[in-house]
Amino acid sequence: MMKINVTVNDEQLEMEVGYDEFLVEALRRYGFNSVKRGCDTGCCGLCTIWINDQPTLSCSSLAVRANNQKITTIEGLQEEATDFAKVLVKEGAEQCGFCSPGFIMTILAMKRELKNPTEEEIIHYLTGNLCRCTGYLGQLRAVKKYMGVV
């Protein structure tokens, strides 16, 4: 075990992590339960967080590599997340909610990165975010509405 220092949602935190422990495990152990475990292969997007404001799959990132980094989970973006969640619900695209934190983290990162994206760019950005409940069309409608794409 080793100690790392991270900033999680703008708060300094010293974490004790294993040398081979993935960030998803450490974050959940420290109470950040919005970070979900899904596939453990980097394919589903459930574990998406931001490291230094970049979307990152925490199931394929070693916790030791997060030392001295800025980590953001959905708990640190409540206002933005709520704004998008309202659009998602209004479009009838919210289902069980298990994938929502990772999906929303990806959407919020996309909104910061892409200005006036095309539908194709949105679909490309969302590749790797899996949802077992929806057919994705409602989610795409909600994303386009949130992004201001008609």
Side-chain angles (χ1 to χ4, degrees), residues 47-61:
C47 67
T48 302
I49 59 166
W50 294 354
I51 297 180
N52 300 324
D53 297 323
Q54 295 299 310
T56 303
L57 299 171
S58 61
C59 78
S60 52
S61 301

Side-chain angles (χ1 to χ4, degrees), residues 2-137:
M2 71 175 288
K3 292 184 180 187
I4 63 171
N5 293 299
V6 293
T7 302
V8 181
N9 301 328
D10 296 324
E11 297 210 14
Q12 295 292 321
L13 181 64
E14 182 179 84
M15 299 172 76
E16 193 167 324
V17 300
Y19 292 100
D20 61 349
E21 183 176 21
F22 287 101
L23 193 51
V24 65
E25 298 161 347
L27 288 169
R28 289 186 61 78
R29 195 173 68 254
Y30 278 83
F32 299 97
N33 294 323
S34 70
V35 184
K36 306 288 191 208
R37 290 190 75 133
C39 65
D40 287 332
T41 61
C43 294
C44 73
L46 267 69
C47 67
T48 302
I49 59 166
W50 294 354
I51 297 180
N52 300 324
D53 297 323
Q54 295 299 310
T56 303
L57 299 171
S58 61
C59 78
S60 52
S61 301
L62 289 173
V64 295
R65 301 225 29 202
N67 191 35
N68 297 317
Q69 304 300 313
K70 175 186 170 191
I71 297 171
T72 307
T73 69
I74 201 166
E75 290 94 346
L77 298 168
Q78 285 298 302
E79 187 174 325
E80 290 175 75
T82 299
D83 289 345
F84 176 67
K86 288 177 183 176
V87 175
L88 201 60
V89 169
K90 189 173 183 178
E91 291 299 315
E94 183 60 24
Q95 296 286 325
C96 79
F98 189 72
C99 68
S100 295
F103 179 70
I104 291 172
M105 291 298 290
T106 302
I107 299 304
L108 297 180
M110 179 175 51
K111 184 163 179 119
R112 291 173 182 221
E113 185 178 328
L114 302 179
K115 303 299 177 210
N116 302 313
T118 64
E119 183 173 313
E120 292 77 25
E121 288 173 317
I122 292 170
I123 291 169
H124 179 74
Y125 203 100
L126 295 177
T127 299
N129 281 273
L130 302 180
C131 176
R132 300 194 191 285
C133 296
T134 68
Y136 297 105
L137 292 178

